[in-house]
Amino acid sequence: MSDTLTITDNRTGKTYEVPITHDTIKALDLRKIKVKDDDFGLMTYDPGFMNTASTKSTITYIDGDLGILEYRGYPIADLAEKSNFLEVAYLIMYGSLPTKDQYDKWAHEITHHTFLHENIKQIMHAFRYDAHPMGMFISIVAALSTFYPEASQIDDPASRHKQIIRLIAKVPTIAAFSYRHSRGLPYVYPDNDLSYTGNFLSMLDKMTQDKYTPKPALERALDVLFILHADHEQNCGTAAMRVIGSSQPDPYSAVAGAAGALYGPLHGGANEQVLRMLMEIGSLSNVPDFIKRVKNRETLLYGFGHRVYKNYDPRARIIKQTADEVFEVTGRNPLLDIALELERIALEDDFFVSRKLYPNVDFYSGIIYQAMGFPVAMFPVLFAIPRTVGWLSQWVELLADPDQKIARPRQIYLGGRGLDYVPMDQR
Ligand code: ACO
C-alpha cells in the first residue's frame, strides 16, 4: 500500500501518480495532466471551496458530523464553562493556555488600549442617525489604519503585536460608540476597572451613575457568547481575512474586509435574520405554516443548516443553557417559545432531517441578545467583536506559513474571444 493516488487520463490513456498527504492531494500536482504539451494542465473546479483546503492550521478543530468544536485542542464546552474570553483569546492567539503572569500581562495590555483617538468621534458624527452599526464598525476599523501607519510593517513582530492588542482592545469601544450613535446618546469612555465584557456593557448602558456595575449574569453570558464566537476555522469571514492578508496590507484593512464578509445574512448576519423571522412568525400558531413555506422554498429557516456541521452545532447547545441564565435576569423572551417550536418541528420533519439541517450558533444567540436589550442591527457587531481574535490568529498563522502565496484562484473562461470592436452607431 502506498500513500498515492493513481489517475488514468482516459483522453490519453496516460497514468499519473500523485502523493497523498493528510488525506489531501495538491491541486498543483494535477497540472502535469495534459493532452498536449502546451496545454495549461488539469485544474479542479470548486465554487464556494466545498472541497478545497486552503491552508494547514493548528487553531480550530471541527468535526461537523460528530458536532465537535475545539480551540487549540480544548473542547468548546470546557472553555465556555471554565475559562473567560480574554484567556480563550490568548489561547487562540498563542496556542497554549497562559500562566498567571502571561494572563495578567495580556489582560493589562488589552485593558490599556481600549480608548479610541478623539478624531474617531468626528468620523462617527458624520454617519446618519440611522446608519447600520455594522457599516459604522467596518468603516471605523478600516479608518484605524490611518491612525497607526506603522501597522503596515507586518513583518515586524513588535508592530504586529501592538496592532493585535489594539484591535482586540478597541473593537468593543467601536461597537459601543456605534450603538450610542444610533441611540443619539453621548459616548461612554472605557472603564479600566471592569472586565472585557463588563466594560463593554458599561460603554453601552452607562448614563449618569459615577460607576457602572454590570449585572454578573449578563457579563458572564456575554463572555460565554464571545468565547463561542471567537474562531471557527476557514469560514467565509476568516477566508476573507486570509485572502486579504495574503496581499500583505495592514491588519485593520484585513479585519474590515473580514467583517464585511461576516455581515452577510448567510453568515454572521444570520442571527439578525433569525430575529426578524421569529418576529414575522409572531405566534406559535403560525409556525406550521412557516415551515410549509420553507419546504416550498419560499424562504429559508434562518439559524438552521451549516456548511460544516451536519449535526447539532455544539455552540447552539451551550447557548441554549446560557439563555436560561439570562432570562432569569431579564425575563423570558417570548420569541423563545416560537424558536423552540420551530426546532421541535424541524428536527422531526424529513425535509430537515434528510438534509441534516440542525440549529446553528445563530438560532438562539439573537434571542439572548434581544432579551439583553440589544437592537437587532447590533447582532452582527456582537459577532465581529470576538471573531476579531480568530481573524488575527489566522492572519498570524498565514504570515508565518511558508506554503502561503497571494490568493489568486483560477477560472474557467467560457466567454467570447478576439472579437472585432463595433462602433456604437453600428451596434
Ligand atoms: N432552510 C431551508 N433549507 C435549507 C437551509 C435552511 N436554513 N439550509 C440549507 N437548506 C437546504 C438547501 O436548500 C439544500 O437543499 P437541496 O439539496 O434540496 O437543494 C440543502 O439544504 C443543503 O444546503 P446548501 O445550501 O447546499 O448548504 P450550504 O453548505 O451551501 O449552506 C448555509 C450552508 C449557507 C449555512 C445554509 O444552511 C443557510 O443558508 N442557512 C441559513 C442561514 C444561516 O443560518 N446562516 C448561519 C450559518 S452559521 C454562521 O455563519 C455563523
Side-chain angles (χ1 to χ4, degrees):
M1 208 167 91
S2 87
D3 282 342
T4 60
L5 176 71
T6 302
I7 303 171
T8 301
D9 184 347
N10 294 323
R11 298 171 303 175
T12 59
K14 280 194 209 157
T15 295
Y16 303 82
E17 193 160 321
V18 175
I20 299 176
T21 318
H22 305 300
D23 288 335
T24 309
I25 60 164
K26 283 191 176 160
L28 264 185
D29 284 343
L30 301 178
R31 282 272 281 278
K32 59 187 176 194
I33 302 179
K34 299 178 176 187
V35 175
K36 296 194 278 343
D37 281 349
D38 59 353
D39 278 355
F40 184 77
L42 206 66
M43 294 191 296
T44 54
Y45 176 56
D46 190 11
F49 309 112
M50 300 282 288
N51 197 39
T52 295
S54 63
T55 187
K56 296 169 190 157
S57 182
T58 61
I59 301 172
T60 292
Y61 174 78
I62 299 176
D63 184 322
D65 291 327
L66 296 180
I68 293 173
L69 169 62
E70 294 173 358
Y71 297 153
R72 301 286 191 182
Y74 293 92
I76 190 69
D78 275 6
L79 294 172
E81 186 191 332
K82 297 170 189 160
S83 187
N84 67 54
F85 175 67
L86 278 190
E87 185 179 62
V88 169
Y90 184 99
L91 170 70
I92 290 175
M93 282 307 311
Y94 299 110
S96 57
L97 288 166
T99 61
K100 173 143 186 7
D101 282 354
Q102 287 168 330
Y103 177 80
D104 288 347
K105 184 165 177 276
W106 171 247
H108 179 89
E109 275 190 292
I110 290 180
T111 308
H112 288 81
H113 285 84
T114 46
F115 274 69
L116 296 171
H117 192 288
E118 281 292 288
N119 287 11
I120 293 285
K121 291 201 309 199
Q122 290 164 29
I123 306 179
M124 299 289 303
H125 280 311
F127 285 106
R128 290 188 53 137
Y129 71 96
D130 59 353
H132 195 292
M134 193 64 175
M136 286 191 267
F137 180 88
I138 292 169
S139 311
I140 300 295
V141 169
L144 286 184
S145 74
T146 67
F147 290 81
Y148 308 112
E150 76 279 14
S152 62
Q153 293 157 27
I154 58 165
D155 292 330
D156 173 2
S159 165
R160 236 170 23 217
H161 176 75
K162 194 72 184 255
Q163 315 319 323
I164 287 169
I165 295 289
R166 281 180 174 143
L167 268 160
I168 297 173
K170 291 180 200 308
V171 282
T173 317
I174 299 170
F177 279 24
S178 310
Y179 169 77
R180 301 284 293 202
H181 174 87
S182 65
R183 303 285 307 273
L185 294 169
Y187 304 128
V188 176
Y189 288 123
D191 180 342
N192 288 357
D193 296 338
L194 297 174
S195 71
Y196 191 79
T197 45
N199 170 52
F200 180 47
L201 288 170
S202 162
M203 292 188 293
L204 293 164
D205 288 344
K206 188 167 182 282
M207 294 304 283
T208 54
Q209 58 272 56
D210 285 339
K211 190 81 187 164
Y212 178 88
T213 311
K215 293 198 172 71
L218 300 189
E219 185 180 4
R220 177 66 191 149
L222 204 52
D223 209 66
V224 169
L225 285 159
F226 280 6
I227 291 172
L228 300 183
H229 286 86
D231 193 57
H232 211 234
E233 53 116 314
Q234 307 310 315
N235 54 80
C236 181
T238 304
M241 180 78 193
R242 281 180 172 268
V243 168
I244 298 171
S246 77
S247 77
Q248 304 186 352
D250 66 86
Y252 301 99
S253 303
V255 167
L262 184 75
Y263 190 9
L266 298 189
H267 189 13
N271 51 13
E272 183 172 346
Q273 297 303 322
V274 171
L275 242 277
R276 295 194 194 286
M277 172 185 81
L278 295 176
M279 290 188 291
E280 184 196 318
I281 296 172
S283 79
L284 283 181
S285 59
N286 293 332
V287 170
D289 194 49
F290 183 81
I291 294 277
K292 223 178 271 167
R293 284 179 51 217
V294 173
K295 288 161 69 174
N296 289 339
R297 314 253 180 201
E298 291 166 41
T299 179
L300 284 175
L301 176 51
Y302 281 97
F304 260 67
H306 198 277
R307 170 62 58 78
V308 178
Y309 292 118
K310 303 300 169 195
N311 198 325
Y312 214 97
D313 181 336
R315 300 168 299 174
R317 225 185 274 286
I318 299 166
I319 283 189
K320 242 172 133 176
Q321 290 164 12
T322 308
D324 293 334
E325 287 152 27
V326 169
F327 295 156
E328 272 188 29
V329 179
T330 62
R332 194 177 160 88
N333 187 336
L335 295 179
L336 180 67
D337 294 325
I338 299 176
L340 288 169
E341 181 64 1
L342 274 174
E343 180 185 329
R344 190 189 66 75
I345 297 184
L347 293 183
E348 285 175 356
D349 190 304
D350 188 55
F351 178 92
F352 300 93
V353 174
S354 64
R355 290 175 176 78
K356 297 189 176 167
L357 300 173
Y358 291 88
N360 60 48
V361 67
D362 288 319
F363 194 61
Y364 288 105
S365 62
I367 300 175
I368 302 183
Y369 291 145
Q370 195 193 43
M372 289 174 79
F374 287 107
V376 171
M378 274 298 283
F379 294 1
V381 179
L382 293 167
F383 196 154
I385 295 170
R387 185 52 60 83
T388 298
V389 168
W391 290 330
L392 290 168
S393 166
Q394 302 268 351
W395 173 70
V396 169
E397 191 174 67
L398 166 98
L399 295 181
D401 182 351
D403 284 356
Q404 292 297 327
K405 295 201 169 299
I406 185 166
R408 206 303 186 185
R410 295 282 175 175
Q411 64 167 5
I412 303 169
Y413 180 70
L414 298 175
R417 294 281 322 279
L419 303 179
D420 288 328
Y421 180 82
V422 182
M424 197 175 277
D425 60 3
Q426 292 169 32
R427 286 174 215 162

